[in-house]
Amino acid sequence: MSITNPDTSALDADVIVVGAGMCGLYALKVLRDQGHQVLVLEKGSGVGGTWFWNRYPGARCDIPSLEYSFGFDPELEQEWVWTEHFASQPEIERYLNHIADRYDLRRDIRVGTGVTAMDFDEATNTWLVETDSGERLRARYCVMATGGLSAPNRPNIPGIDSFTGTIVQTSLWPADGVELEGKRIGVIGTGSSGVQTIPELAKVAAHLTVFQRTPAFTWPSQNKVLTDDEQAAIKTRYRELRREQYESFSGTAGTTGAVILQFATDDHPILESTPEEREAALQEKGFSACRIWTDTAKNLDANEMAVELFREMIRRTIKDPDVAEGLSPRGFPLGCKRPVLDTNYFETFNRDNVTLVDLRRDCIEEITPNGIRTTHGLIELDVIVLATGFDALTGALTRIDIRGCEGRLLRNEWADGPHTYLGVSVVGYPNLFIGVGPGSPGVLATYPPQIELQIGWIADFLRYLGEHDLTLAEAQQSAQDAWVEHVNEVSIGTMFTAASCNSWYNGQNIEGKPRVFLPYVGGLPLYTARCHEVAADGYAGFTLR
Ligand code: NAP
């Protein structure tokens, strides 16, 4: 895109925010409150981001609803009623629409407007943003609220476009639904999305075939209806709960006991346990028996012993030993992939109308007009559900042509992995801020509290720039290099970076993506403290003009 109109007298907004999910809505609220003229551009036809697009049957959050919500307005906290411990997609979408209405946000949101290109105009220190209708909009600052898990991964399976039935991606599920009743359905993928939708699809399908490349580590969510008393008990101590969230490693206060991203902390090594102790753990904790030991987070032998407890629970749950073996994770450690919470996932494989195709033994050769052909033959299908995940953390940014100083293209510069300062800023792309981007805790911490901290920090930064008559902020190379090194350093020795671990955390779910651990695993408190230090030091590590 060439810059045709360098006239800044008519900026379309002080700040353009890309995306109207949780992050974009909060950015609009806080920046507008601060007096900025804000324009939000949203590709979808409604607000909600992840919770707008992922409408597949069974879609549900795996963070307790009272925590997976904003804390910036105590009145909002008190008035909103969550009906379940783990909220369903429709409920979260309603909540985000309520926020859009309650704070009169819609007047500054343009839905149905995708951003295709962005150019930094060095003559005026402004961004020119091009939309999918060819419109060009100019703003001083841009906030990328494009989401970490929002660029769908459509698998490159031969013949995929030849299928004559319905083919649908979980993350692009049509708002008016998909005809599933009595159909022969195939699901590809057993990450969080697949694990959530499989039990729901099995209930309505004539037959459900699950094509599984890697078995999931998944735990029963024990989701339940929230009683008025339970809700009231939390609402009376909401300030304390929010403080616990901000101060916790992963932004969770553990209101349900399901703090899924952490290992046990009491001194309880599995390597020193007896068979009787392990059996007692299985009896008492079921699938969670593998998560109570202290040595599994860093020691691969201990980890493998714990995984064996998980496999034992699968054997005890699944009637057919072959299917049980097929569902059993092997060859990669517990804690390397994002853990999953489910509702009757393993039990679903005991149903007569469900078949597991273990792609470790039987490969997908092609998709034909009638179904999926594996090495063992054609499986005829009416509907194929792609639960194949995302080009995580970087994909939503690299799919836009973002050009910074001297025409540099972000996609090219990140070819060997993302380079950011604090996860929010990139050298050569002044005045561009990323919400929950790579190099920040991002997917490792509960989004709403993290968004409040990070977008709040960006808003403070913009206020500082205004107060000091500055119109340009750019990360410095040395600060960015040091941050990237720190992000890498803290990931070393964790299960996330084990050699046997391939996941979307390290880009290995996408062909050709470099192996780089993408989020910051130092925890939310350390991250926030670092951001505050930078601010207190006059935004150290940034060039300001
Ligand atoms: P995912 O975890 O990346 O899972 C994708 C699945 O598709 C994996 O099993 C993957 O196998 C498989 N797959 C990909 N390409 C394939 C191919 N060509 N052939 C066969 N199998 C293929 O994606 P996701 O399930 O959408 O979840 C992504 C993240 O979104 C989650 O980890 C979570 O953070 C978030 N999420 C959260 C919730 C929730 O709150 N409950 C729900 C949904 C998603 P491999 O493992 O072998 O690559």
Side-chain angles (χ1 to χ4, degrees):
M1 171 175 53
S2 64
I3 293 169
T4 52
N5 175 17
D7 175 16
T8 53
S9 56
L11 285 181
D12 296 284
D14 299 329
V15 188
I16 287 182
V17 174
V18 185
M22 279 194 155
C23 189
L25 291 175
Y26 185 66
L28 169 55
K29 161 91 177 72
V30 76
L31 291 169
R32 188 206 271 168
D33 286 354
Q34 229 171 263
H36 293 287
Q37 195 201 338
V38 185
L39 175 63
V40 180
L41 304 176
E42 165 56 54
K43 185 163 55 175
S45 60
V47 304
T50 283
W51 303 105
F52 171 88
W53 296 103
N54 290 265
R55 299 169 182 277
Y56 58 85
R60 183 176 291 289
C61 187
D62 57 9
I63 307 290
S65 50
L66 284 145
E67 299 189 35
Y68 193 80
S69 52
F70 285 113
F72 65 83
D73 182 348
E75 280 182 23
L76 172 68
E77 280 173 341
Q78 294 300 322
E79 79 196 8
W80 185 261
V81 177
W82 292 105
T83 62
E84 295 176 90
H85 267 290
F86 296 107
S88 64
Q89 174 272 330
E91 188 161 22
I92 304 175
E93 193 188 9
R94 277 198 299 279
Y95 171 71
L96 295 174
N97 274 280
H98 172 70
I99 287 176
D101 292 329
R102 193 187 196 287
Y103 302 102
D104 189 22
L105 300 181
R106 291 189 203 275
R107 65 184 155 94
D108 289 324
I109 303 173
R110 276 200 216 165
V111 294
T113 307
V115 169
T116 52
M118 300 171 59
D119 277 44
F120 186 66
D121 175 7
E122 292 176 71
T124 58
N125 292 343
T126 57
W127 279 95
L128 204 53
V129 176
E130 185 165 306
T131 72
D132 47 13
S133 68
E135 191 179 10
R136 289 169 181 184
L137 299 158
R138 191 184 288 274
R140 174 74 61 207
Y141 302 106
C142 285
V143 174
M144 306 306 289
T146 38
L149 295 158
S150 53
N153 172 36
R154 188 174 166 89
N156 193 15
I157 300 172
I160 190 163
D161 294 326
S162 71
F163 185 60
T164 52
T166 303
I167 187 156
V168 62
Q169 196 133 0
T170 45
S171 51
L172 296 170
W173 201 268
D176 51 2
V178 177
E179 190 53 52
L180 299 166
E181 194 82 34
K183 303 287 186 195
R184 297 165 302 173
I185 305 174
V187 179
I188 303 178
T190 51
S192 298
S193 306
V195 165
Q196 285 189 334
T197 204
I198 284 163
E200 295 304 313
L201 297 177
K203 287 180 200 165
V204 296
H207 197 90
L208 178 70
T209 309
V210 177
F211 297 86
Q212 173 205 263
R213 190 163 69 182
T214 307
F217 279 111
T218 172
W219 287 268
S221 70
Q222 296 166 339
N223 183 37
K224 55 181 183 166
V225 169
L226 263 176
T227 65
D228 291 348
D229 286 350
E230 282 166 326
Q231 189 140 195
I234 287 174
K235 286 187 172 179
T236 52
R237 56 174 288 264
Y238 234 142
R239 299 278 55 76
E240 191 189 329
L241 177 111
R242 295 300 184 196
R243 203 169 39 254
E244 284 167 25
Q245 285 191 272
Y246 295 142
E247 289 171 3
S248 95
F249 181 89
S250 55
T252 43
T255 37
T256 60
V259 184
I260 61 169
L261 294 172
Q262 288 170 350
F263 286 87
T265 47
D266 296 339
D267 188 23
H268 199 201
I270 194 169
L271 285 176
E272 290 170 24
S273 66
T274 63
E276 293 72 26
E277 280 175 297
R278 296 197 291 279
E279 178 56 33
L282 283 169
Q283 301 277 344
E284 194 192 330
K285 306 271 184 193
F287 279 97
S288 291
C290 60
R291 293 164 48 196
I292 62 171
W293 318 93
T294 36
D295 47 353
T296 51
K298 299 233 159 152
N299 182 314
L300 279 168
D301 293 335
N303 194 290
E304 174 55 19
M305 259 177 105
V307 173
E308 184 49 30
L309 296 183
F310 189 82
R311 290 192 287 256
E312 176 58 22
M313 273 312 295
I314 295 176
R315 289 190 285 270
R316 290 182 190 189
T317 308
I318 302 289
K319 291 183 199 151
D320 181 331
D322 268 356
V323 177
E325 181 49 33
L327 290 166
S328 294
R330 287 190 190 280
F332 64 99
L334 168 68
C336 109
K337 287 182 182 253
R338 160 80 184 217
V340 182
L341 290 191
D342 70 79
T343 305
N344 295 329
Y345 177 66
F346 287 116
E347 293 80 353
T348 297
F349 290 88
N350 287 331
R351 293 176 66 114
D352 293 336
N353 71 334
V354 177
T355 306
L356 176 71
V357 175
D358 180 358
L359 298 176
R360 294 172 299 181
R361 294 187 276 186
D362 188 7
C363 293
I364 294 180
E365 289 185 337
E366 60 171 343
I367 295 181
T368 74
N370 302 328
I372 296 181
R373 187 185 305 284
T374 71
T375 19
H376 286 83
L378 177 69
I379 296 163
E380 294 198 354
L381 299 167
D382 305 308
V383 179
I384 296 177
V385 175
L386 302 172
T388 43
F390 302 89
D391 183 352
L393 296 179
T394 54
L397 295 165
T398 55
R399 287 179 188 189
I400 299 173
D401 293 335
I402 304 179
R403 290 187 190 277
C405 298
E406 294 140 19
R408 54 177 74 194
L409 185 62
L410 190 74
R411 185 186 311 125
N412 291 346
E413 290 198 87
W414 282 10
D416 63 345
H419 308 274
T420 71
Y421 180 35
L422 301 173
V424 295
S425 182
V426 184
V427 173
Y429 301 81
N431 295 0
L432 182 84
F433 298 95
I434 306 170
V436 288
S440 75
V443 285
L444 299 179
T446 303
Y447 265 37
Q450 179 180 196
I451 285 167
E452 287 170 340
L453 292 169
Q454 206 186 51
I455 297 294
W457 185 88
I458 292 169
D460 288 346
F461 196 178
L462 297 198
R463 183 194 289 123
Y464 178 93
L465 294 172
E467 285 169 357
H468 291 79
D469 278 334
L470 298 160
T471 58
L472 179 135
E474 181 185 357
Q476 292 166 357
Q477 191 68 53
S478 54
Q480 178 170 290
D481 291 347
W483 181 253
V484 169
E485 198 183 322
H486 176 59
V487 170
N488 291 335
E489 227 169 55
V490 289
S491 73
I492 292 167
T494 66
M495 288 302 154
F496 292 123
T497 48
S500 56
C501 181
N502 292 327
S503 74
W504 57 259
Y505 284 137
N506 60 26
Q508 294 310 285
N509 65 327
I510 300 292
E511 221 179 300
K513 202 165 169 174
R515 188 183 184 92
V516 173
F517 184 69
L518 298 166
Y520 175 61
V521 73
L524 196 56
L526 214 60
Y527 174 76
T528 312
R530 182 74 193 117
C531 289
H532 287 154
E533 266 168 40
V534 166
D537 209 2
Y539 295 92
F542 285 92
T543 298
L544 308 178
R545 282 205 299 274

